[in-house]
Amino acid sequence: MSVTVGTVAPDFTLKDQSQKEVKLSDFAGKKNVVLMFYPLDWSPVCTNEHACMVNDMKSFETLDAEILGVSVDSVWSHKAYAEKMGIHYSLLADFQPRGAMAEKYGVYLPEKGITGRSIIIVGKDGKVAWIKNYDIPVLPDLKEVASALEKVKTAAA
């Protein structure tokens, strides 16, 4: 099952690289959430994607957004990866059961055992506001994501 724009985003609770539980519903009414689904820590395109996000964090903070990276990697892999990459936003471990959260969003690829590359913006109202799926070797255009986020922020104002 995949989500569509306008539907309520499925809630979840996953641990981040600091073993902290992160719940989507905790952001309701407070911040827009950018769910950045990616296949695996340490892979070349994912590393580029996160490097770009780290470099663009200031612009995303001004857009009143919380960035949540999501992959099937373990908390420990995320911890090492975040430290190496200088990532200060949450990397969520959709590890056990593997891909269960990504499955709710329609971006888990069971035949490969990984999460597809996708960015989903959830508005403060808890509804899916924007979706973009990418081929695995394609680096998302973060300017396009920021532009979509600006529209979500403006529409909610």
Side-chain angles (χ1 to χ4, degrees), residues 8-14 21-33 35 66 68 92 101 104-105 122-127:
V8 174
D11 199 13
F12 59 82
T13 303
L14 292 174
E21 285 195 343
V22 176
K23 225 177 155 172
L24 179 63
S25 55
D26 287 346
F27 299 103
K30 298 175 192 154
K31 280 192 165 195
N32 297 307
V33 176
L35 296 174
E66 186 74 24
L68 301 176
L92 304 180
M101 182 271 209
K104 290 181 185 177
Y105 284 82
V122 179
K124 289 181 188 179
D125 61 0
K127 292 184 179 171

Side-chain angles (χ1 to χ4, degrees), residues 93-115:
D94 193 9
F95 186 66
Q96 213 45 9
R98 189 175 188 92
M101 182 271 209
E103 184 74 41
K104 290 181 185 177
Y105 284 82
V107 297
Y108 182 63
L109 307 173
E111 70 285 355
K112 294 182 174 160
I114 60 172
T115 304

Side-chain angles (χ1 to χ4, degrees), residues 10-133:
D11 199 13
F12 59 82
T13 303
L14 292 174
K15 287 194 174 175
D16 72 5
Q17 67 268 34
S18 304
Q19 296 274 345
K20 187 178 134 236
E21 285 195 343
V22 176
K23 225 177 155 172
L24 179 63
S25 55
D26 287 346
F27 299 103
K30 298 175 192 154
K31 280 192 165 195
N32 297 307
V33 176
V34 176
L35 296 174
M36 194 167 92
F37 291 96
Y38 64 100
L40 293 167
D41 293 343
W42 310 104
S43 63
V45 177
C46 297
T47 297
N48 285 342
E49 181 176 7
H50 284 289
C52 292
M53 184 57 81
V54 166
N55 292 336
D56 282 354
M57 272 315 288
K58 286 281 182 258
S59 65
F60 280 89
E61 286 165 2
T62 65
L63 293 169
D64 203 19
E66 186 74 24
I67 309 298
L68 301 176
V70 184
S71 79
V72 296
D73 295 290
S74 71
V75 166
W76 306 112
S77 176
H78 282 336
K79 182 171 176 48
Y81 188 62
E83 287 171 3
K84 169 89 169 124
M85 296 290 297
I87 295 170
H88 298 291
Y89 49 88
S90 292
L91 296 180
L92 304 180
D94 193 9
F95 186 66
Q96 213 45 9
R98 189 175 188 92
M101 182 271 209
E103 184 74 41
K104 290 181 185 177
Y105 284 82
V107 297
Y108 182 63
L109 307 173
E111 70 285 355
K112 294 182 174 160
I114 60 172
T115 304
R117 189 175 314 284
S118 184
I119 295 181
I120 297 175
I121 298 173
V122 179
K124 289 181 188 179
D125 61 0
K127 292 184 179 171
V128 175
W130 189 81
I131 301 170
K132 179 92 184 235
N133 295 307

